[in-house]
Structure formats: structure tokens, C-alpha cells
Amino acid sequence: MLLRSFTAFISLSLFHVYSVLCASQPENDAAAPAVLSSVLEVGALAVAADCQRSCFPALNFTMPTQVPSSLDGWWCSMDCEHAFLGFSYEVTGCQSLSQLNADFADMRKNFNARYVRLYGGCDQSGFYDNVIEAAWQNTLGVHALIWFGFTGGNEWQTRRDDLFNTLHNNTKAPFVTRGVQFGSEPLYDDVLSHESLTEQVVLAKILLSDVRIPVTVSELAYGYQERGALDVLSQLDFINAHMLPFFSTEATTDMDWFIQNGNGKKMYFDENGWPSSTSSSVQANSPNAVASVSSEEGYFQMLDSQCETLKKGSCGGIGWFAHIYSDQQEVGYGIYNTQGKLKFPFQPRTSC
């Protein structure tokens, strides 16, 4: 089945290994001058030391009782983030604060999640304030989302403005919001031209610079390829890449494409998984792609087994999310089924 080809691809892919600056190290370390090599070694040691410190949202971090006065030294470096990060979590249901707290606590305590990546949209006033509070209470960083949806329209503009307003006015927001995503798959869905999306990314980076929140797009490689959108990719602060081999026959080459065109930027697999069942919106790309609980489990076991390989990616390696937290949010892709029971044992590594 296609899962095997994807496994082989990750195993055999050649990663570009960068320096701490993520784009300046020569590809052939053996050919580097002795002085440069010593500088790189010192840089690597410095990064390794930094990754051992207590910082948000590391698993050894203890939240302060008060919101700090500065973001200086708060966040763990993205260079230290690889392996399993957390879950995609659909918010179309506008979960209550108590439900968010319960789910986020489960992610952190039972799976060692460091982040939650939002998916879908909730237009309920104050909802993102609840997300912030639940994230703060449970030591989780958030990949926030400006949701475009699937039916067109300009609601995304109101969602953008509301989110940015919250990010500037909720004092905890900059301390739990790791980044803002435009998505999901705005290029693939052709909701904006790549020129307009580039303008939105640039504007967002300017508007969020004072709260030091980076900006990205949640997208398939195909979306960039089909729309000729390297201008969008060039403006991202980091790359949130969709990795859905059950859905796309091109997934075995998507990672390589992002590496070749990403200019050494940090990469995360954000919408990333394999379904246990099909539905009207979840269909295989091939008769050889089998939707089953064992296939879903095997996909995540494969990712976990390739931790050392994925760690060779730029900026400390590739981190990944499990898509999605529960089948109650998106049928087939959840780690939990619709009855709230784990479909299979799930304890992936958070480092290697």
C-alpha cells in the first residue's frame, strides 16, 4: 500500500543540514574550512545547551503565576522543536472553556503535547480568549488559524481582524500564540490569488510584529505548485506543510519539494495523518490506500520511527502534529473515536 512507499521515501530522502542560522551552512560539511567547521561546532553546542533550558512550552516548564513583563527568553527556540508536537484540533463546535481545558489537559498530561494547532473556525465572540486561557492553564502553545472555509465569501477578513484584536489586547495571547496560520489550504482551494495571499502574509507580519508572533500559511505542496505561489512561500516565517498521503499520491515527494523550495526555513507537518475510515469528504487516492485503524496506527509508528531522520531537517528538524484529536471533529482521522476511546496506543517520542 502507499504507506510503504511514503515510509521508504522518508527513509531515503536527503535532507539539507543547516547551521543554527538555518540557511548559511555549506551542504558539504566535509568541504568546509577548518575555522568554519569549528564555528559550526560551537553553534551546534550552543543550540544543544539552549534546548536543555526550561522554556515555554517545554515539558519541564512550570508556568508562572503572573504574566511576564517581557517575551525575552520565554519561548523555546524553534531549533529545539522536532518529533511529535501535539494535535490538530477542530474548533467548529465552539467548545466551552471547560471542554477546552479538559481536552488540552489530556493532550499535555497523557501525550506530552507541547502545542495545539487549531483547525476550522468558531465565530463566537471571545472564543479565542478561551483558547488562550486553556492553553495558559495547560502549558500549551497555540498555532492559531485564520479560517477561510470552503464556501468563499469574506468572513475570513472579520476572523482575521477579530484574532488580531485579541492578540493585541489579551495580555496572555503573545505568551501562548506561537504563530498565526492563514488556512486551511487557501491556495489549493483558490480562495485568494497568490499575489493577494502574499500581501496578506506581509501585512500580518507587520501588524503582529509588536507582539512578536510569526506568520505562516497552512497548505499542501500542491497548492503552491498549482498556483505558482513561491512568492507566498518566500514570505513565511516558518512552513506549515500538509502531509496527507492517503489523500494525495504526490505526498511521497511533497517533503522533498518543501525542502528544495523552503530556503532553509523551519518546517512542521501540521495537517498530517492517515484515516481509519472513509466518508464523503475522506476518499483514497488509490485502491491500494487502505483506511483502517491498523493503517492509521502504522502511519504514526512510521513517523515516530523516523525521528532521527526527520531531525536532520533544517532549523533543528521537522516537528509534526497528529491530525486530528478526535473522530468527533473529523471522522476517520482522530486519535480518539466517536465514543471518546483511543483507537490504538499512541505515545510518540517528543525528541530523539
Side-chain angles (χ1 to χ4, degrees):
M1 61 189 258
L2 291 183
L3 178 56
R4 292 175 183 168
S5 64
F6 189 69
T7 302
F9 172 73
I10 288 186
S11 298
L12 297 175
S13 287
L14 297 178
F15 285 85
H16 293 227
V17 182
Y18 297 93
S19 72
V20 64
L21 296 179
C22 305
S24 60
Q25 181 176 346
E27 294 182 14
N28 184 351
D29 288 343
V35 173
L36 179 57
S37 295
S38 64
V39 169
L40 294 175
E41 289 172 5
V42 170
L45 289 172
V47 171
D50 184 61
C51 293
Q52 297 303 313
R53 73 183 182 89
S54 181
C55 51
F56 183 82
L59 297 178
N60 65 349
F61 186 72
T62 300
M63 293 295 283
T65 57
Q66 301 293 327
V67 178
S69 60
S70 171
L71 284 162
D72 292 346
W74 172 259
W75 287 100
C76 295
S77 169
M78 286 187 177
D79 290 357
C80 304
E81 295 177 349
H82 63 283
F84 172 68
L85 297 174
F87 297 92
S88 286
Y89 183 85
E90 186 170 342
V91 296
T92 307
C94 296
Q95 291 90 330
S96 65
L97 176 58
S98 61
Q99 186 65 58
L100 291 169
N101 255 321
D103 291 344
F104 289 7
D106 179 54
M107 295 177 190
R108 181 75 174 189
K109 294 176 182 177
N110 295 322
F111 301 102
N112 288 326
R114 290 165 284 170
Y115 290 97
V116 58
R117 175 246 176 186
L118 301 188
Y119 178 74
C122 171
D123 296 327
Q124 184 181 93
S125 178
F127 178 74
Y128 193 66
D129 289 292
N130 286 342
V131 171
I132 292 167
E133 185 60 32
W136 177 272
Q137 294 298 328
N138 293 286
T139 323
L140 282 181
V142 182
H143 283 223
L145 182 70
I146 299 167
W147 179 245
F148 284 92
F150 305 111
T151 59
N154 295 321
E155 292 90 346
W156 67 270
Q157 296 178 8
T158 300
R159 292 168 184 152
R160 174 201 60 197
D161 295 345
D162 288 347
L163 175 61
F164 288 5
N165 182 62
T166 301
L167 294 177
H168 282 102
N169 289 289
N170 187 313
T171 57
K172 293 178 180 175
F175 293 90
V176 298
T177 307
R178 184 52 146 174
V180 166
Q181 312 165 86
F182 283 91
S184 179
E185 300 173 0
L187 293 169
Y188 175 74
D189 292 334
D190 202 19
V191 295
L192 282 181
S193 70
H194 65 90
E195 295 92 347
S196 294
L197 185 56
T198 299
E199 291 175 359
Q200 287 298 317
V201 170
V202 171
L203 177 61
K205 288 165 66 173
I206 294 171
L207 293 176
L208 297 177
S209 61
D210 59 330
V211 285
R212 294 159 63 173
I213 296 174
V215 178
T216 189
V217 171
S218 178
E219 185 61 71
L220 291 159
Y222 180 85
Y224 293 102
Q225 296 162 358
E226 181 71 5
R227 310 304 174 197
L230 288 179
D231 53 342
V232 177
L233 195 65
S234 69
Q235 291 298 327
L236 305 183
D237 290 317
F238 59 92
I239 296 171
N240 269 13
H242 289 198
M243 201 59 61
L244 299 166
F246 183 83
F247 168 73
S248 170
T249 58
E250 302 301 318
T252 54
T253 58
D254 283 352
M255 183 175 66
D256 194 38
W257 186 88
F258 277 115
I259 291 169
Q260 291 174 0
N261 293 278
N263 296 318
K265 293 178 181 178
K266 182 70 177 184
M267 189 193 312
Y268 301 102
F269 294 166
D270 64 331
E271 195 160 323
N272 165 61
W274 189 284
S276 61
S277 61
T278 59
S279 64
S280 59
S281 60
V282 178
Q283 293 294 316
N285 64 69
S286 162
N288 295 324
V290 178
S292 67
V293 171
S294 61
S295 292
E296 182 181 5
E297 180 181 14
Y299 178 79
F300 289 117
Q301 287 177 339
M302 177 273 296
L303 279 180
D304 194 38
S305 72
Q306 295 300 320
C307 183
E308 288 81 6
T309 303
L310 292 170
K311 191 177 179 180
K312 296 176 183 176
S314 58
C315 300
I318 297 172
W320 57 272
F321 291 84
H323 187 78
I324 198 164
Y325 182 64
S326 171
D327 277 357
Q328 293 175 344
Q329 299 174 354
E330 187 171 357
V331 174
Y333 276 102
I335 300 299
Y336 287 102
N337 63 24
T338 54
Q339 287 75 47
K341 303 295 185 181
L342 268 181
K343 292 194 278 186
F344 49 86
F346 186 71
Q347 286 295 325
R349 289 180 285 177
T350 58
S351 64
C352 58

